[in-house]
Every structure is written in C-alpha cells, then in structure tokens.
C-alpha cells in the first residue's frame, strides 16, 4: 500500500489537528513522532486501487463443490459463502466503515518496541471513568464502535452523566493498524502489560478494563498483574473453569460426578465447539498463507468461529435480520484483508499454545470483576465457578440474548452491563 494508506509508522498530517486536540496535545507534537513514547495521530485511508483489487479477486474465486451434508457440520456452506462473496463484490461499501472509524480520534504509539494503534474518545463529562476496551479474534476495533458514543455521551443515549466513560480501544499486536511482531513473545500477558502502559501514557491514573474473547484473556491478565491504576475489570467471556476440570475437558477424559448440572453443561459446551480454527492457528499459523491471498478464503475461515455465531452469520446472509448484519461481518473481514493481518493475528494462538496457557481456566484475579454472561457464548459460565474464580465479584448477570460477539451483536445489552457492572468502581476514581 502507498503512504496514503496510513499504515503504522506513517503519521498522517490530515488528522493532526483533530486528533491532537482530543489529547490536548498541540499539532506541533507531530515533530516528536520519532520519540519512543510519542502519540501520533492516525487516519485510515485505503487506496481505491486496493478496494478495486479486492472486488476483482472476489469475482475470480475458484469455488469448491457443494458440501455433502444438509447442515453446517462440514463448515461454512457453499450457498452461504457464495452469497457473502456476491454481496461483498457487488453491494458492500468499505468507505462507510472507514468514514466511521475516522470520525473518532485515532492514534499510534510505540510500546515495548511495537506500534499500537488505538481509538481514544474522551467524554465531555468531567467525572467520566477511563475504560480500556479490548477486542479478540476474529475481531478488531470494528467490534466496539457501536459502544463508543453511548459510553462517552450517555446523556444522548438513555443514560446520565454519571454513566460516562473515556474510551480507549487498542488494536492488538498483529491486528488492524497495529504493528506486526517480527519476533516471538507477544502473548496475552505481554499485551496486558502494554495496555497498562498505554493507559498510563494517556495520563489515566485510575481506570477499568473490559474485554471479550482474547480481550477477556488480556484484561484477566491485567487483573492478575494489577498494574498501578487498574480498579477492576469487566468480562463478557468469564474465565472461571477450575484448572483441573479444564484439563479434563481438553483431554476428553471423564468429568467428575460431583459437578452441578450447570457446571457439566458448561464443560459439554466447550467440547461441543471443538475449536478447529484455534488448533490450526495454535500449531501451524504460517500454513494459512492462502488467507492473505484469497479474500473469500479469509472470510470463510473467519466466520466459522463457533457454531452459534456461525449460524447467526449464515442467517444474516440469507436475509434474516438479527445480531450481525452482512455489513458488520464484511467491515471486519475487509479490515483484515486490507491490512494483510490474517497470519500475524493467527500467531497469537501459537503464542498461547507454546506458553501452555488455557483459554477458559481461572487466572487468579483478585481485583474487582464484573461478569456478563450471554446465552450463546461458547460456554455459559456458572455463577458457582465465577464466585470462586473471582473472589471480588462485584457483578454477575445472565443476559436473555446474545453470543460471543456481544458488543457487536447486542450493543444495548453490553452498554447497560458496562455501566452497571463497573458502576461500583466509580467511588474509587
């Protein structure tokens, strides 16, 4: 891509005045971009030639034969991915999400030798709570944009000034417009330390952190690391499975007889998902090179995350309006495509596997924790386990609707949960 694309390490002066004002930093600060801790304004601007090339590649896709089953048990069905491709090539407009992303102040700063891209929107309300919101895979900052305005401007979105947040949404290493690690070691624990440094660099002395998917894992590690200023965390993918039970789940061994019905169901749900994508990325991420070459191959791989969200996405491309829309899905896949991050993002799973870390087992968080449990999550966290995993549990709620991509699918519920769940921490600001 050309410099006009505004890739990391390429500060764009067009956004300087607006972005610098959001941090109360004069535009002249751009001259200090070479400094290690400089915060550089950033603007998303994908060249039209890249957009045209994407559509060309979609239209030249070589298709496989139809699946030999009448359901999704073999993966993404041919009719689903062909409809996705048709819509992507003929109707989808990347410029809509690009414009929306650019409507917020975007920045890049170097932390621990790597560029971190982030959105930073300050509330107009004086006593707003600073909040870092962390995304996961196959997500990106696109997942959280529906939260920004209601959280930062609650009085315009059925809330009060007491509900206000300053919002910071970073792109994970290897994702979106953040830098791509060129060496090993960028695991969730290291990302957690980098996120704490980001909040400190932004001048936030007290703040909370929120996350789902990898974002939940990262903010849980922030909770165990207890960086100065972190008041507590909110998770919509609670990591509450006892380590001994977690080991039995993944090994396929029989489960103990003393589990409650709710606990046993949670174990069965984890096994039910199988996590084929995680196994491939966790062991052979570089083998997925074709995802950087084929947009349709990339899309098929990304939408087959867990069977419930996959089914919802398939329904959306069949004309059913619920949860994610076709535009929502393609905004995210397109971001991965334009930034060529399929492999760099996948390596996070390899880092997790090499470290021998678990996705869902308890992490030992002692700080205050708020949990929101959505019914179509990969497993429904039992309260009995949550109370043991998080001894300082300040909020636990089961929602009536929503799944793994809660902020994206059900933003109203997530906004309410963040406001309510983190409310008790405001007294510590």
């Amino acid at each position: 891509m050309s410099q006009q694309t505004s890739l990391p390490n390429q500060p764009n002066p067009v956004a300087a005045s607006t972005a610098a004002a959001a941090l109360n930093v004069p535009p002249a600060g751009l001259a200090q971009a070479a400094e290690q801790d400089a915060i550089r304004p950033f603007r998303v601007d994908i060249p039209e030639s890249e957009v045209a090339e994407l559509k060309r590649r979609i239209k030249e896709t070589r298709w496989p034969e139809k699946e030999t089953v009448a359901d999704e048990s073999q993966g993404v069905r041919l009719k689903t991915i062909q409809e996705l491709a048709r819509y992507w090539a003929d109707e989808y407009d990347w410029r809509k999400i690009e414009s929306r992303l650019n409507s917020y102040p975007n920045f890049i700063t170097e932390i621990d030798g790597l560029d971190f891209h982030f959105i930073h929107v300050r509330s107009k309300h004086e006593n707003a709570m600073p909040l870092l919101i962390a995304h996961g895979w196959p997500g990106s900052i696109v997942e959280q944009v529906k939260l920004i305005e209601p959280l930062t401007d609650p009085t315009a979105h059925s809330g009060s000034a007491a509900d206000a947040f300053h919002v910071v949404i970073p792109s994970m290493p290897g994702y979106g417009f953040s830098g791509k690690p060129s060496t090993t070691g960028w695991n969730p624990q290291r990302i957690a330390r980098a996120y704490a440094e980001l909040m400190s660099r932004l001048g936030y002395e007290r703040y909370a952190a929120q996350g789902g998917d990898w974002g939940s894992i990262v903010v849980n590690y922030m909770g165990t690391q207890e960086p100065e200023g972190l008041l507590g965390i909110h998770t919509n993918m609670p990591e509450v499975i006892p380590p001994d039970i977690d080991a039995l789940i993944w090994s396929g061994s029989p489960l103990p007889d003393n589990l409650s019905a709710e606990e046993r169901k949670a174990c069965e749900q984890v096994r039910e998902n199988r996590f084929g994508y995680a196994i491939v990325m966790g062991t052979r991420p570089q083998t997925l090179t074709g995802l950087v070459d084929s947009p349709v191959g990339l899309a098929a791989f990304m939408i087959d995350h867990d069977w419930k969200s996959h089914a919802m996405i398939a329904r959306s491309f069949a004309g059913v309006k619920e949860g994610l829309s076709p535009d929502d899905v393609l905004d995210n896949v397109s971001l991965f495509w334009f930034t060529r991050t399929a492999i760099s993002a996948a390596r996070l799973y390899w880092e997790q596997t090499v470290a021998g870390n678990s996705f869902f087992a308890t992490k030992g968080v002692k700080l205050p924790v708020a949990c929101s449990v959505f019914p179509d999550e990969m497993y429904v966290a039992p309260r009995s386990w949550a109370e043991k995993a998080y001894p300082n549990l300040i909020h636990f709620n089961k929602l009536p609707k929503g799944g793994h991509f809660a902020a994206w699918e059900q933003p109203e519920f997530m906004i309410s949960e963040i406001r309510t769940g983190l409310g008790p921490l405001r007294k510590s600001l």
Side-chain angles (χ1 to χ4, degrees):
M1 298 182 191
S2 67
Q3 183 171 349
Q4 190 66 17
T5 311
S6 299
L7 290 173
N9 297 317
Q10 297 175 339
N12 190 314
V14 175
S17 297
T18 300
L23 279 176
N24 297 317
V25 175
L30 284 174
Q32 302 171 353
E35 296 181 7
Q36 187 175 4
D37 61 350
I39 295 174
R40 296 121 58 188
F42 177 81
R43 184 177 179 83
V44 181
D45 190 2
I46 302 300
E48 188 58 35
S49 59
E50 290 285 336
V51 176
E53 174 64 7
L54 167 61
K55 293 181 180 294
R56 183 192 69 79
R57 284 173 175 259
I58 295 169
K59 291 180 177 180
E60 293 186 2
T61 299
R62 294 175 60 182
W63 296 104
E65 65 283 355
K66 182 178 179 294
E67 63 279 356
T68 58
V69 293
D71 55 24
E72 286 82 15
S73 60
Q74 291 183 353
V76 180
R77 301 179 73 176
L78 184 62
K79 67 177 182 180
T80 298
I81 196 64
Q82 286 186 327
E83 174 55 24
L84 180 152
R86 184 204 64 78
Y87 184 86
W88 203 3
D90 298 337
E91 298 184 38
Y92 174 73
D93 183 2
W94 160 258
R95 298 302 179 194
K96 290 182 180 179
I97 187 61
E98 182 179 85
S99 176
R100 187 168 186 181
L101 292 175
N102 284 330
S103 71
Y104 307 115
N106 284 248
F107 304 92
I108 287 179
T109 191
E110 183 182 327
I111 300 174
D112 196 8
L114 192 72
D115 275 347
F116 277 77
H117 163 261
F118 61 99
I119 292 173
H120 181 200
V121 182
R122 289 185 58 83
S123 173
K124 64 182 179 182
H125 298 290
E126 182 179 355
N127 296 318
M129 173 185 287
L131 177 66
L132 181 141
I133 305 179
H135 72 79
W137 186 95
S140 66
I141 55 171
V142 167
E143 280 186 74
Q144 284 85 23
V145 294
K146 296 176 184 178
L147 305 181
I148 295 174
E149 288 155 27
L151 291 179
T152 58
D153 189 10
T155 55
H157 297 86
S158 304
S160 68
D163 297 319
F165 292 87
H166 302 308
V167 172
V168 178
I169 308 174
S171 297
M172 286 200 299
Y175 288 66
F177 300 104
S178 282
K180 300 176 182 179
S182 58
T183 59
T184 61
W186 275 102
N187 54 34
Q189 294 95 320
R190 188 173 179 182
I191 297 171
R193 291 190 290 271
Y195 283 0
E197 168 60 26
L198 174 61
M199 295 303 281
S200 175
R201 189 170 297 182
L202 293 175
Y204 291 127
E205 296 180 356
R206 294 180 179 86
Y207 64 94
Q210 193 284 327
D213 194 85
W214 280 115
S216 176
I217 294 172
V218 170
V219 302
N220 269 263
Y221 279 123
M222 291 179 73
T224 63
Q225 293 166 4
E226 298 189 14
E228 184 176 1
L230 179 62
L231 300 174
I233 66 172
H234 173 266
T235 172
N236 56 283
M237 192 190 78
E239 289 145 55
V240 302
I241 300 178
D244 57 333
I245 303 299
D246 184 69
L248 294 175
I249 292 172
W250 292 98
S251 68
S253 302
L255 299 171
D257 294 331
N258 62 349
L259 296 180
S260 69
E262 191 178 28
E263 292 166 351
R264 184 170 295 275
K265 180 179 179 181
C267 296
E268 292 170 349
Q269 287 174 321
V270 173
R271 285 179 170 173
E272 187 177 63
N273 277 289
R274 299 182 181 174
F275 303 98
Y277 64 92
I279 294 171
V280 174
M281 291 190 288
T283 57
R284 312 292 287 178
Q286 202 68 26
T287 300
L288 296 170
T289 297
L291 301 186
V292 184
D293 185 64
S294 168
V296 170
L298 175 66
F301 190 76
M302 289 178 64
I303 68 174
D304 194 14
H305 177 269
D306 62 276
W307 73 266
K308 290 183 179 178
S309 62
H310 171 202
M312 177 191 61
I313 290 170
R315 289 193 298 270
S316 77
F317 281 98
V320 178
K321 294 184 178 180
E322 61 166 321
L324 302 181
S325 70
D327 278 0
D328 285 331
V329 174
L330 292 174
D331 287 343
N332 188 51
V333 179
S334 297
L335 180 60
F336 271 74
W337 174 259
F338 289 129
T339 56
R340 295 168 169 80
T341 47
I343 304 302
S344 56
R347 293 194 190 105
L348 182 55
Y349 285 84
W350 184 89
E351 294 284 355
Q352 182 84 337
T353 300
V354 167
N357 293 328
S358 169
F359 293 105
F360 306 127
T362 58
K363 303 293 187 292
V365 181
K366 300 296 191 294
L367 291 178
V369 178
C371 293
S372 299
V373 180
F374 287 82
D376 289 337
E377 182 53 271
M378 291 186 289
Y379 80 99
V380 176
R383 182 169 192 137
S384 59
W385 282 350
E387 290 174 344
K388 295 175 182 177
Y390 302 124
N392 198 349
L393 185 67
I394 59 173
H395 174 82
F396 183 92
N397 189 34
K398 289 187 175 182
L399 285 301
K401 187 176 183 180
H404 187 69
F405 304 102
W408 214 10
E409 300 172 38
Q410 303 294 333
E412 294 84 5
F413 283 140
M414 273 293 288
I415 290 158
S416 176
E417 285 295 288
I418 291 171
R419 289 174 178 172
T420 302
L422 296 177
L425 302 183
R426 290 185 181 274
K427 62 181 182 292
S428 301
L429 288 175

